[in-house]
Amino acid sequence: MQIAPSVSNPNRPRRLLRFLLGACALVGVSLSQAQAGGVLTVAMTAGDIPVTTGTPDQGFEGFRFVGWSLYDALVGWDLSKADKPSDIIPGLATSWSIDPNDHKRWIFKLRQGVKFHDGCAFNADDVVWNYARMTDNKSPQFFAQQFALNRGYMTNVANIEKVDDFTVAITTKFVESLFPYTMSYIPMVSRCRAEELKYDWNAFAMHPSGTGPYRFDRMIPRERLELVPNKDYWNPARVPHQDRMILIPMPEAATRVAALLSGQVNFVEAPPPDTIARLKSAGMQIVTNVYPHNWPFTLNFVKGPFTDLRVRQAANYALNRADFVELLGGLATEEYAQVPPFMPYYGKPVRYEFNAKKATELLKAAKCYPCEITLAISTSGSGQMQPLPMNDLLKSQMEEAGFKVNFKVMDWNAMLEIARGGVDKFPDIDGYNGSRALVDPVIAVIKPVAKAYWSPAGANWGHFYNADIEKLVADIFTEFDDAKRMALLTKLHEAENEQAIMIFVVHDVNPRALSPHVKGFVQSQHWFQDMTPISVE
Amino acid sequence: MLALILRRLFYAAPIALGVSIVCFSLVYLAPGDPLQAVMPADVTPDMVEMIKHEYGFDKPIPVQYALWLWRALQGDFGLSIGSRRPVIVDVLGSLQNTLLLTSFAVPIAFVIGYSLGAIAGCFPGRWLDRIVTGFAVMGVSVPNYWLGIVMVIAFAVELSWLPATGMGPRGSDAFSIFSLDDLRYLVMPVFTLSMVPVGIIARSTRAAVAEIRGQDFVVTLRAKGLSEIAVIRHVLKNALPQVLAVMGLQFGYLMGGSILIETVFTWPGSGFLLAKAIINRDIPVLQGAILLLSLVFVATNLVVDLLQSAIDPRIRRA
């Protein structure tokens, strides 16, 4: 038997090598493509993962990372620029206009071709359905938690009705020219998914479906939420650049910083001021920007020393705001008015520059010297910065001018109860220290002063009332010309400062710490941020 | 023995009922409305009533207690105010994460504490005793959350040897004790958690050993010609019931008292859950977590009592 000799092909090893090299190259390319965007891991200040069933909790941080990742509203925000204030832009609605025959009726034209993550198409029926979900407790989709979370935004919504498949009409309770801002806080969730899950909102929380730039991938309750890009997002410019975004609640500030320095996370919210130097020396990027935030005292206009304008002015003159900025390591700007100077309706408000002598004179003229006041402050809270040391400084400066400051110190939720209860329930509190998100003109300069928003119905905690200001508000709500309305808003802002409606202290600058490998983040002048352009090397 | 077990169980029932009343009413003594976290800013009184009805807070407190207890006996602690998830799911999930920490920390604390205490007890007044006592005092005196932060700075930030936070690179539901990568996340929390029990167990063992060594039976054992090692074995066996009692209490304390360590390390255990529930005024979670942790404590003490009886015949005869 002849055994065929093994034929050795001299070219085989070379061909095999070429094949292997080619295969390696392919694998390398696909791996590098898969990891091109990287994984963004965010340490949030929130104590828990914001709810994923629509409007999130955990304040605006919930909107920032979860709400606007999974969902869209009819009206969006332009978060693409760092050098100018953000304003509203078309979202799931491409346009809106007032009905010329009825100024309480707004017509919203909806964007066509939008799909929810589950594949169902978005249309007018979804808008009507979502409205019932938040307001009609007789409807099967009603969800009490979403009612509570949305109630503050729906104050002026009387009804939403379908006009055609891509048009809805929203009727307001009173004429409000700034109404479109309201529709920028209300996410649209998928009716298909809710019906598929038989309105089990716990199940929906683990399988959310929206129209947003991110899809839900995985969640371990209380620990982490993992989102992946929605490649079919209706706005191709905002398909996320990273491969995955992981959100981790980390309420302890020292833990957040340690996690960043040890490489466990690469994006950290609100690092404490005294860690900035360490973070910079480790090569981290510290990003700040002005944004519509203030850290004031909201005052009691019914009872107590602050019913007198001179005492309110004295409180503002007593403060050396530069000391606060120094205390915060430069991570703040001096606050002399309701809104920061970059806001378009800032105008030329009265500036209560530090003048302790003038403060004392005013107190004496008001026959309140020493002037005993009781202020409610918190130990922490959303936007509250470093409340205890800041208030220690405030007390020392005010007492130098002639105030006698008594603090009622409480946790954040107890403070919220005071904020919601209003002066009727807490008449002995002369003021409370609650940070304010000034994201739109209604929240920023109208709600704190208009009678329609007297607490407990609204945010005018201390029942401020001034006839001229009340008329200005009415004019603003009925003025549909943008330029004229802006002039009125500016006048309102200046009038509020003349009245020293709050004790103004500082504006935050929204510090964040990022790993040097994080690229593409543009910090907008807003509480919300766009996470989609970020990539991780 | 059976009679002993039944008697102990019988005593545990009223204790558990008392615990349930205390933990149900405690959260209502705290200032503030429990629904603050979900109330909108401009809520009107009729909306308050509607929200309270949806969340079950519109009934009188004794009726709320009775309904809550009846549901609790069936394993239903209601829904979290914040997340609307069943409380029992959150609490049991977090309890098992704390149990993981504790079940590593307690044996480590026992082995180290008992050994150190035994050495100190065998050489009372000598330099070994002083070193061990000093170490034990440090263990109980140094704030464990401070120690945790220092360890994070040293081993995670500066040396990058260990991860700073969390329970595994992919979270608790992917955590495996058979994965070295996951076990690295346990090292610092376990070490920090075990420091106080090491100190307490060492001091208790030292006292017990020193006291027993002075007893007549030890003299008799030496007189009978037993080697010193054999004598020490007898001494340690006699010291064990007292130390077991201390260890059992420590297990209960660690299960309920890990709140600071879990917050520093972002370990998703019952302590971290309690901390967040306190901040968010999530009353159903607070009630469920406190009750279950208290019952764990009661059950632990019951098991320790029974173990002591099993080890020490004098307790059985008593």
PDB file of all heavy atoms in Angstrom, chain A residues 47 145 148 151 155 202 218 220 223 255 264 278 411 413 417 420 457, chain B residues 32 36 38-39 42 47 82 84 164-165 170 172-173 264 276 279 281:
ATOM      1  N   GLY A  47     -30.137  60.355  45.986  1.00  0.00           N
ATOM      2  CA  GLY A  47     -30.049  59.237  46.909  1.00  0.00           C
ATOM      3  C   GLY A  47     -30.571  57.936  46.338  1.00  0.00           C
ATOM      4  O   GLY A  47     -30.349  56.870  46.917  1.00  0.00           O
ATOM      5  N   GLN A 145     -48.552  58.746  41.479  1.00  0.00           N
ATOM      6  CA  GLN A 145     -47.211  59.302  41.665  1.00  0.00           C
ATOM      7  C   GLN A 145     -46.919  60.323  40.568  1.00  0.00           C
ATOM      8  O   GLN A 145     -46.362  61.385  40.836  1.00  0.00           O
ATOM      9  CB  GLN A 145     -46.173  58.192  41.623  1.00  0.00           C
ATOM     10  CG  GLN A 145     -44.766  58.678  41.939  1.00  0.00           C
ATOM     11  CD  GLN A 145     -43.703  57.679  41.568  1.00  0.00           C
ATOM     12  OE1 GLN A 145     -43.667  57.173  40.454  1.00  0.00           O
ATOM     13  NE2 GLN A 145     -42.810  57.388  42.486  1.00  0.00           N
ATOM     14  N   ALA A 148     -48.769  63.540  41.179  1.00  0.00           N
ATOM     15  CA  ALA A 148     -48.121  64.379  42.182  1.00  0.00           C
ATOM     16  C   ALA A 148     -46.875  65.053  41.612  1.00  0.00           C
ATOM     17  O   ALA A 148     -46.628  66.232  41.848  1.00  0.00           O
ATOM     18  CB  ALA A 148     -47.765  63.539  43.407  1.00  0.00           C
ATOM     19  N   ARG A 151     -48.049  67.820  39.007  1.00  0.00           N
ATOM     20  CA  ARG A 151     -49.108  68.761  39.354  1.00  0.00           C
ATOM     21  C   ARG A 151     -48.651  70.213  39.253  1.00  0.00           C
ATOM     22  O   ARG A 151     -49.383  71.081  38.787  1.00  0.00           O
ATOM     23  CB  ARG A 151     -49.605  68.448  40.775  1.00  0.00           C
ATOM     24  CG  ARG A 151     -50.781  69.303  41.207  1.00  0.00           C
ATOM     25  CD  ARG A 151     -52.018  68.976  40.401  1.00  0.00           C
ATOM     26  NE  ARG A 151     -53.067  69.962  40.594  1.00  0.00           N
ATOM     27  CZ  ARG A 151     -53.202  71.067  39.891  1.00  0.00           C
ATOM     28  NH1 ARG A 151     -52.347  71.335  38.929  1.00  0.00           N
ATOM     29  NH2 ARG A 151     -54.159  71.916  40.147  1.00  0.00           N
ATOM     30  N   THR A 155     -50.652  73.343  36.495  1.00  0.00           N
ATOM     31  CA  THR A 155     -51.560  74.264  37.185  1.00  0.00           C
ATOM     32  C   THR A 155     -52.515  74.971  36.239  1.00  0.00           C
ATOM     33  O   THR A 155     -53.665  75.187  36.563  1.00  0.00           O
ATOM     34  CB  THR A 155     -50.761  75.346  37.922  1.00  0.00           C
ATOM     35  OG1 THR A 155     -49.551  74.812  38.394  1.00  0.00           O
ATOM     36  CG2 THR A 155     -51.541  75.930  39.071  1.00  0.00           C
ATOM     37  N   ASN A 202     -45.062  49.384  38.166  1.00  0.00           N
ATOM     38  CA  ASN A 202     -43.801  48.819  38.653  1.00  0.00           C
ATOM     39  C   ASN A 202     -43.088  48.071  37.530  1.00  0.00           C
ATOM     40  O   ASN A 202     -41.872  48.150  37.373  1.00  0.00           O
ATOM     41  CB  ASN A 202     -44.048  47.867  39.826  1.00  0.00           C
ATOM     42  CG  ASN A 202     -44.303  48.625  41.107  1.00  0.00           C
ATOM     43  OD1 ASN A 202     -43.835  49.747  41.261  1.00  0.00           O
ATOM     44  ND2 ASN A 202     -45.051  48.035  41.996  1.00  0.00           N
ATOM     45  N   ARG A 218     -30.782  48.200  31.514  1.00  0.00           N
ATOM     46  CA  ARG A 218     -30.701  47.371  32.716  1.00  0.00           C
ATOM     47  C   ARG A 218     -30.799  48.283  33.935  1.00  0.00           C
ATOM     48  O   ARG A 218     -30.291  49.408  33.920  1.00  0.00           O
ATOM     49  CB  ARG A 218     -29.345  46.660  32.696  1.00  0.00           C
ATOM     50  CG  ARG A 218     -29.015  45.777  33.844  1.00  0.00           C
ATOM     51  CD  ARG A 218     -27.697  45.050  33.559  1.00  0.00           C
ATOM     52  NE  ARG A 218     -27.305  44.293  34.718  1.00  0.00           N
ATOM     53  CZ  ARG A 218     -26.352  44.652  35.581  1.00  0.00           C
ATOM     54  NH1 ARG A 218     -25.651  45.742  35.389  1.00  0.00           N
ATOM     55  NH2 ARG A 218     -26.062  43.905  36.631  1.00  0.00           N
ATOM     56  N   ILE A 220     -30.610  47.979  38.349  1.00  0.00           N
ATOM     57  CA  ILE A 220     -30.679  47.323  39.655  1.00  0.00           C
ATOM     58  C   ILE A 220     -31.228  48.400  40.577  1.00  0.00           C
ATOM     59  O   ILE A 220     -30.557  49.413  40.808  1.00  0.00           O
ATOM     60  CB  ILE A 220     -29.298  46.857  40.158  1.00  0.00           C
ATOM     61  CG1 ILE A 220     -28.651  45.947  39.125  1.00  0.00           C
ATOM     62  CG2 ILE A 220     -29.449  46.131  41.492  1.00  0.00           C
ATOM     63  CD1 ILE A 220     -27.246  45.516  39.489  1.00  0.00           C
ATOM     64  N   GLU A 223     -29.302  50.979  42.841  1.00  0.00           N
ATOM     65  CA  GLU A 223     -27.865  50.867  42.598  1.00  0.00           C
ATOM     66  C   GLU A 223     -27.394  51.483  41.289  1.00  0.00           C
ATOM     67  O   GLU A 223     -26.427  52.222  41.271  1.00  0.00           O
ATOM     68  CB  GLU A 223     -27.474  49.391  42.565  1.00  0.00           C
ATOM     69  CG  GLU A 223     -27.344  48.756  43.921  1.00  0.00           C
ATOM     70  CD  GLU A 223     -26.862  47.339  43.775  1.00  0.00           C
ATOM     71  OE1 GLU A 223     -25.777  47.146  43.200  1.00  0.00           O
ATOM     72  OE2 GLU A 223     -27.593  46.441  44.230  1.00  0.00           O
ATOM     73  N   THR A 255     -17.497  60.147  48.761  1.00  0.00           N
ATOM     74  CA  THR A 255     -17.517  58.894  48.004  1.00  0.00           C
ATOM     75  C   THR A 255     -17.476  59.173  46.513  1.00  0.00           C
ATOM     76  O   THR A 255     -16.795  58.469  45.760  1.00  0.00           O
ATOM     77  CB  THR A 255     -18.784  58.089  48.364  1.00  0.00           C
ATOM     78  OG1 THR A 255     -18.845  57.938  49.772  1.00  0.00           O
ATOM     79  CG2 THR A 255     -18.771  56.733  47.712  1.00  0.00           C
ATOM     80  N   GLN A 264     -13.474  54.537  39.124  1.00  0.00           N
ATOM     81  CA  GLN A 264     -14.717  53.772  39.043  1.00  0.00           C
ATOM     82  C   GLN A 264     -15.801  54.511  38.275  1.00  0.00           C
ATOM     83  O   GLN A 264     -16.691  53.895  37.708  1.00  0.00           O
ATOM     84  CB  GLN A 264     -15.238  53.481  40.452  1.00  0.00           C
ATOM     85  CG  GLN A 264     -14.674  52.202  41.033  1.00  0.00           C
ATOM     86  CD  GLN A 264     -15.344  51.872  42.323  1.00  0.00           C
ATOM     87  OE1 GLN A 264     -14.968  52.379  43.372  1.00  0.00           O
ATOM     88  NE2 GLN A 264     -16.340  51.017  42.272  1.00  0.00           N
ATOM     89  N   ARG A 278      -7.382  69.005  44.690  1.00  0.00           N
ATOM     90  CA  ARG A 278      -6.936  67.614  44.586  1.00  0.00           C
ATOM     91  C   ARG A 278      -7.346  67.020  43.247  1.00  0.00           C
ATOM     92  O   ARG A 278      -6.573  66.310  42.596  1.00  0.00           O
ATOM     93  CB  ARG A 278      -7.553  66.804  45.738  1.00  0.00           C
ATOM     94  CG  ARG A 278      -7.256  65.308  45.713  1.00  0.00           C
ATOM     95  CD  ARG A 278      -5.795  65.024  45.996  1.00  0.00           C
ATOM     96  NE  ARG A 278      -5.541  63.591  45.999  1.00  0.00           N
ATOM     97  CZ  ARG A 278      -5.181  62.886  44.928  1.00  0.00           C
ATOM     98  NH1 ARG A 278      -5.088  63.480  43.731  1.00  0.00           N
ATOM     99  NH2 ARG A 278      -4.949  61.595  45.009  1.00  0.00           N
ATOM    100  N   ASP A 411     -33.895  69.012  58.346  1.00  0.00           N
ATOM    101  CA  ASP A 411     -33.478  68.308  57.135  1.00  0.00           C
ATOM    102  C   ASP A 411     -34.307  68.830  55.951  1.00  0.00           C
ATOM    103  O   ASP A 411     -35.276  69.566  56.116  1.00  0.00           O
ATOM    104  CB  ASP A 411     -33.628  66.791  57.292  1.00  0.00           C
ATOM    105  CG  ASP A 411     -35.075  66.342  57.330  1.00  0.00           C
ATOM    106  OD1 ASP A 411     -35.689  66.166  56.263  1.00  0.00           O
ATOM    107  OD2 ASP A 411     -35.575  66.173  58.449  1.00  0.00           O
ATOM    108  N   ASN A 413     -36.428  67.607  53.788  1.00  0.00           N
ATOM    109  CA  ASN A 413     -37.855  67.327  53.646  1.00  0.00           C
ATOM    110  C   ASN A 413     -38.697  68.146  54.619  1.00  0.00           C
ATOM    111  O   ASN A 413     -39.816  68.550  54.292  1.00  0.00           O
ATOM    112  CB  ASN A 413     -38.136  65.835  53.832  1.00  0.00           C
ATOM    113  CG  ASN A 413     -37.915  65.074  52.548  1.00  0.00           C
ATOM    114  OD1 ASN A 413     -38.490  65.403  51.521  1.00  0.00           O
ATOM    115  ND2 ASN A 413     -37.058  64.089  52.574  1.00  0.00           N
ATOM    116  N   GLU A 417     -41.610  70.984  53.643  1.00  0.00           N
ATOM    117  CA  GLU A 417     -42.937  71.109  54.235  1.00  0.00           C
ATOM    118  C   GLU A 417     -43.227  72.572  54.577  1.00  0.00           C
ATOM    119  O   GLU A 417     -44.341  73.049  54.373  1.00  0.00           O
ATOM    120  CB  GLU A 417     -43.057  70.252  55.487  1.00  0.00           C
ATOM    121  CG  GLU A 417     -44.508  70.199  55.921  1.00  0.00           C
ATOM    122  CD  GLU A 417     -44.731  69.444  57.207  1.00  0.00           C
ATOM    123  OE1 GLU A 417     -43.770  68.810  57.688  1.00  0.00           O
ATOM    124  OE2 GLU A 417     -45.853  69.500  57.721  1.00  0.00           O
ATOM    125  N   ARG A 420     -43.960  74.352  51.279  1.00  0.00           N
ATOM    126  CA  ARG A 420     -45.279  74.058  50.722  1.00  0.00           C
ATOM    127  C   ARG A 420     -46.394  74.550  51.613  1.00  0.00           C
ATOM    128  O   ARG A 420     -47.445  74.917  51.147  1.00  0.00           O
ATOM    129  CB  ARG A 420     -45.404  72.551  50.491  1.00  0.00           C
ATOM    130  CG  ARG A 420     -44.604  72.120  49.291  1.00  0.00           C
ATOM    131  CD  ARG A 420     -44.409  70.651  49.216  1.00  0.00           C
ATOM    132  NE  ARG A 420     -43.602  70.341  48.037  1.00  0.00           N
ATOM    133  CZ  ARG A 420     -42.882  69.264  47.862  1.00  0.00           C
ATOM    134  NH1 ARG A 420     -42.869  68.338  48.775  1.00  0.00           N
ATOM    135  NH2 ARG A 420     -42.177  69.058  46.769  1.00  0.00           N
ATOM    136  N   ALA A 457     -51.302  77.365  47.530  1.00  0.00           N
ATOM    137  CA  ALA A 457     -51.614  77.028  46.139  1.00  0.00           C
ATOM    138  C   ALA A 457     -50.407  77.196  45.229  1.00  0.00           C
ATOM    139  O   ALA A 457     -50.362  76.613  44.145  1.00  0.00           O
ATOM    140  CB  ALA A 457     -52.760  77.884  45.628  1.00  0.00           C
TER     141      ALA A 457
ATOM    142  N   GLY B  32     -42.856  66.561  60.142  1.00  0.00           N
ATOM    143  CA  GLY B  32     -42.988  66.537  58.690  1.00  0.00           C
ATOM    144  C   GLY B  32     -44.031  65.566  58.215  1.00  0.00           C
ATOM    145  O   GLY B  32     -44.365  64.596  58.889  1.00  0.00           O
ATOM    146  N   GLN B  36     -44.341  64.331  51.824  1.00  0.00           N
ATOM    147  CA  GLN B  36     -43.642  65.507  51.311  1.00  0.00           C
ATOM    148  C   GLN B  36     -42.898  65.219  50.027  1.00  0.00           C
ATOM    149  O   GLN B  36     -42.854  66.035  49.121  1.00  0.00           O
ATOM    150  CB  GLN B  36     -42.627  66.027  52.346  1.00  0.00           C
ATOM    151  CG  GLN B  36     -43.155  67.059  53.293  1.00  0.00           C
ATOM    152  CD  GLN B  36     -43.914  68.146  52.593  1.00  0.00           C
ATOM    153  OE1 GLN B  36     -43.506  68.693  51.583  1.00  0.00           O
ATOM    154  NE2 GLN B  36     -45.073  68.469  53.112  1.00  0.00           N
ATOM    155  N   VAL B  38     -43.585  63.423  47.652  1.00  0.00           N
ATOM    156  CA  VAL B  38     -44.360  63.287  46.418  1.00  0.00           C
ATOM    157  C   VAL B  38     -45.398  64.376  46.257  1.00  0.00           C
ATOM    158  O   VAL B  38     -46.109  64.405  45.273  1.00  0.00           O
ATOM    159  CB  VAL B  38     -45.047  61.906  46.332  1.00  0.00           C
ATOM    160  CG1 VAL B  38     -44.034  60.823  46.149  1.00  0.00           C
ATOM    161  CG2 VAL B  38     -45.908  61.647  47.542  1.00  0.00           C
ATOM    162  N   MET B  39     -45.496  65.293  47.224  1.00  0.00           N
ATOM    163  CA  MET B  39     -46.477  66.367  47.090  1.00  0.00           C
ATOM    164  C   MET B  39     -45.951  67.420  46.130  1.00  0.00           C
ATOM    165  O   MET B  39     -44.799  67.824  46.229  1.00  0.00           O
ATOM    166  CB  MET B  39     -46.716  67.033  48.453  1.00  0.00           C
ATOM    167  CG  MET B  39     -47.405  66.153  49.451  1.00  0.00           C
ATOM    168  SD  MET B  39     -49.178  66.055  49.168  1.00  0.00           S
ATOM    169  CE  MET B  39     -49.696  65.528  50.789  1.00  0.00           C
ATOM    170  N   ASP B  42     -47.561  73.196  44.702  1.00  0.00           N
ATOM    171  CA  ASP B  42     -48.750  74.031  44.881  1.00  0.00           C
ATOM    172  C   ASP B  42     -49.974  73.179  45.183  1.00  0.00           C
ATOM    173  O   ASP B  42     -51.063  73.431  44.683  1.00  0.00           O
ATOM    174  CB  ASP B  42     -48.974  74.859  43.617  1.00  0.00           C
ATOM    175  CG  ASP B  42     -49.183  73.975  42.389  1.00  0.00           C
ATOM    176  OD1 ASP B  42     -48.839  72.781  42.455  1.00  0.00           O
ATOM    177  OD2 ASP B  42     -49.690  74.466  41.371  1.00  0.00           O
ATOM    178  N   MET B  47     -56.359  68.071  46.893  1.00  0.00           N
ATOM    179  CA  MET B  47     -55.348  67.191  46.282  1.00  0.00           C
ATOM    180  C   MET B  47     -54.594  66.427  47.358  1.00  0.00           C
ATOM    181  O   MET B  47     -54.231  65.264  47.165  1.00  0.00           O
ATOM    182  CB  MET B  47     -54.352  68.010  45.487  1.00  0.00           C
ATOM    183  CG  MET B  47     -54.848  68.442  44.144  1.00  0.00           C
ATOM    184  SD  MET B  47     -53.602  69.502  43.439  1.00  0.00           S
ATOM    185  CE  MET B  47     -54.587  70.689  42.625  1.00  0.00           C
ATOM    186  N   GLY B  82     -41.420  56.532  47.481  1.00  0.00           N
ATOM    187  CA  GLY B  82     -40.577  57.101  46.434  1.00  0.00           C
ATOM    188  C   GLY B  82     -40.634  56.332  45.132  1.00  0.00           C
ATOM    189  O   GLY B  82     -40.878  56.882  44.070  1.00  0.00           O
ATOM    190  N   ARG B  84     -42.476  53.321  44.546  1.00  0.00           N
ATOM    191  CA  ARG B  84     -43.677  52.504  44.343  1.00  0.00           C
ATOM    192  C   ARG B  84     -43.347  51.026  44.148  1.00  0.00           C
ATOM    193  O   ARG B  84     -44.170  50.267  43.643  1.00  0.00           O
ATOM    194  CB  ARG B  84     -44.517  53.022  43.152  1.00  0.00           C
ATOM    195  CG  ARG B  84     -44.927  54.481  43.280  1.00  0.00           C
ATOM    196  CD  ARG B  84     -45.752  54.778  44.522  1.00  0.00           C
ATOM    197  NE  ARG B  84     -47.133  54.332  44.456  1.00  0.00           N
ATOM    198  CZ  ARG B  84     -47.939  54.168  45.512  1.00  0.00           C
ATOM    199  NH1 ARG B  84     -47.480  54.385  46.728  1.00  0.00           N
ATOM    200  NH2 ARG B  84     -49.181  53.792  45.353  1.00  0.00           N
ATOM    201  N   ALA B 164     -13.335  51.750  45.250  1.00  0.00           N
ATOM    202  CA  ALA B 164     -13.788  52.657  46.315  1.00  0.00           C
ATOM    203  C   ALA B 164     -15.216  52.376  46.775  1.00  0.00           C
ATOM    204  O   ALA B 164     -15.537  52.542  47.941  1.00  0.00           O
ATOM    205  CB  ALA B 164     -13.678  54.105  45.843  1.00  0.00           C
ATOM    206  N   THR B 165     -16.059  52.024  45.846  1.00  0.00           N
ATOM    207  CA  THR B 165     -17.488  51.950  46.202  1.00  0.00           C
ATOM    208  C   THR B 165     -18.171  50.809  45.461  1.00  0.00           C
ATOM    209  O   THR B 165     -17.634  50.273  44.499  1.00  0.00           O
ATOM    210  CB  THR B 165     -18.243  53.228  45.803  1.00  0.00           C
ATOM    211  OG1 THR B 165     -18.379  53.255  44.374  1.00  0.00           O
ATOM    212  CG2 THR B 165     -17.538  54.487  46.225  1.00  0.00           C
ATOM    213  N   ARG B 170     -20.550  45.151  38.215  1.00  0.00           N
ATOM    214  CA  ARG B 170     -21.816  45.197  37.484  1.00  0.00           C
ATOM    215  C   ARG B 170     -23.021  45.265  38.411  1.00  0.00           C
ATOM    216  O   ARG B 170     -24.140  45.069  37.970  1.00  0.00           O
ATOM    217  CB  ARG B 170     -21.930  43.972  36.565  1.00  0.00           C
ATOM    218  CG  ARG B 170     -20.886  43.973  35.455  1.00  0.00           C
ATOM    219  CD  ARG B 170     -21.451  43.478  34.153  1.00  0.00           C
ATOM    220  NE  ARG B 170     -22.474  44.397  33.670  1.00  0.00           N
ATOM    221  CZ  ARG B 170     -23.505  44.020  32.925  1.00  0.00           C
ATOM    222  NH1 ARG B 170     -23.668  42.753  32.598  1.00  0.00           N
ATOM    223  NH2 ARG B 170     -24.397  44.899  32.495  1.00  0.00           N
ATOM    224  N   SER B 172     -25.110  44.512  42.336  1.00  0.00           N
ATOM    225  CA  SER B 172     -25.328  43.417  43.283  1.00  0.00           C
ATOM    226  C   SER B 172     -25.910  42.175  42.637  1.00  0.00           C
ATOM    227  O   SER B 172     -25.619  41.056  43.086  1.00  0.00           O
ATOM    228  CB  SER B 172     -26.246  43.887  44.417  1.00  0.00           C
ATOM    229  OG  SER B 172     -27.496  44.281  43.894  1.00  0.00           O
ATOM    230  N   ASP B 173     -26.753  42.339  41.598  1.00  0.00           N
ATOM    231  CA  ASP B 173     -27.372  41.109  41.083  1.00  0.00           C
ATOM    232  C   ASP B 173     -26.416  40.282  40.238  1.00  0.00           C
ATOM    233  O   ASP B 173     -26.723  39.147  39.887  1.00  0.00           O
ATOM    234  CB  ASP B 173     -28.676  41.412  40.325  1.00  0.00           C
ATOM    235  CG  ASP B 173     -28.439  42.218  39.070  1.00  0.00           C
ATOM    236  OD1 ASP B 173     -27.306  42.665  38.853  1.00  0.00           O
ATOM    237  OD2 ASP B 173     -29.407  42.400  38.316  1.00  0.00           O
ATOM    238  N   VAL B 264     -20.754  55.143  53.208  1.00  0.00           N
ATOM    239  CA  VAL B 264     -19.404  55.505  52.743  1.00  0.00           C
ATOM    240  C   VAL B 264     -19.017  54.680  51.523  1.00  0.00           C
ATOM    241  O   VAL B 264     -18.465  55.201  50.564  1.00  0.00           O
ATOM    242  CB  VAL B 264     -18.380  55.309  53.883  1.00  0.00           C
ATOM    243  CG1 VAL B 264     -16.954  55.365  53.366  1.00  0.00           C
ATOM    244  CG2 VAL B 264     -18.580  56.370  54.964  1.00  0.00           C
ATOM    245  N   LYS B 276     -31.387  56.269  53.120  1.00  0.00           N
ATOM    246  CA  LYS B 276     -32.132  56.962  52.062  1.00  0.00           C
ATOM    247  C   LYS B 276     -33.590  57.124  52.439  1.00  0.00           C
ATOM    248  O   LYS B 276     -34.208  58.139  52.150  1.00  0.00           O
ATOM    249  CB  LYS B 276     -31.993  56.188  50.746  1.00  0.00           C
ATOM    250  CG  LYS B 276     -30.623  56.370  50.107  1.00  0.00           C
ATOM    251  CD  LYS B 276     -30.545  55.737  48.755  1.00  0.00           C
ATOM    252  CE  LYS B 276     -30.535  54.234  48.877  1.00  0.00           C
ATOM    253  NZ  LYS B 276     -30.233  53.582  47.586  1.00  0.00           N
ATOM    254  N   ILE B 279     -33.872  60.087  54.792  1.00  0.00           N
ATOM    255  CA  ILE B 279     -33.742  61.365  54.090  1.00  0.00           C
ATOM    256  C   ILE B 279     -34.999  61.664  53.274  1.00  0.00           C
ATOM    257  O   ILE B 279     -35.461  62.801  53.220  1.00  0.00           O
ATOM    258  CB  ILE B 279     -32.498  61.351  53.176  1.00  0.00           C
ATOM    259  CG1 ILE B 279     -31.228  61.360  54.027  1.00  0.00           C
ATOM    260  CG2 ILE B 279     -32.493  62.527  52.216  1.00  0.00           C
ATOM    261  CD1 ILE B 279     -29.974  61.039  53.257  1.00  0.00           C
ATOM    262  N   ARG B 281     -38.013  60.452  53.795  1.00  0.00           N
ATOM    263  CA  ARG B 281     -39.264  60.241  54.552  1.00  0.00           C
ATOM    264  C   ARG B 281     -40.102  59.133  53.921  1.00  0.00           C
ATOM    265  O   ARG B 281     -41.322  59.246  53.843  1.00  0.00           O
ATOM    266  CB  ARG B 281     -40.126  61.507  54.586  1.00  0.00           C
ATOM    267  CG  ARG B 281     -39.494  62.698  55.249  1.00  0.00           C
ATOM    268  CD  ARG B 281     -39.475  62.524  56.726  1.00  0.00           C
ATOM    269  NE  ARG B 281     -38.628  63.518  57.345  1.00  0.00           N
ATOM    270  CZ  ARG B 281     -39.075  64.554  57.990  1.00  0.00           C
ATOM    271  NH1 ARG B 281     -40.373  64.739  58.128  1.00  0.00           N
ATOM    272  NH2 ARG B 281     -38.250  65.412  58.528  1.00  0.00           N
TER     273      ARG B 281
END
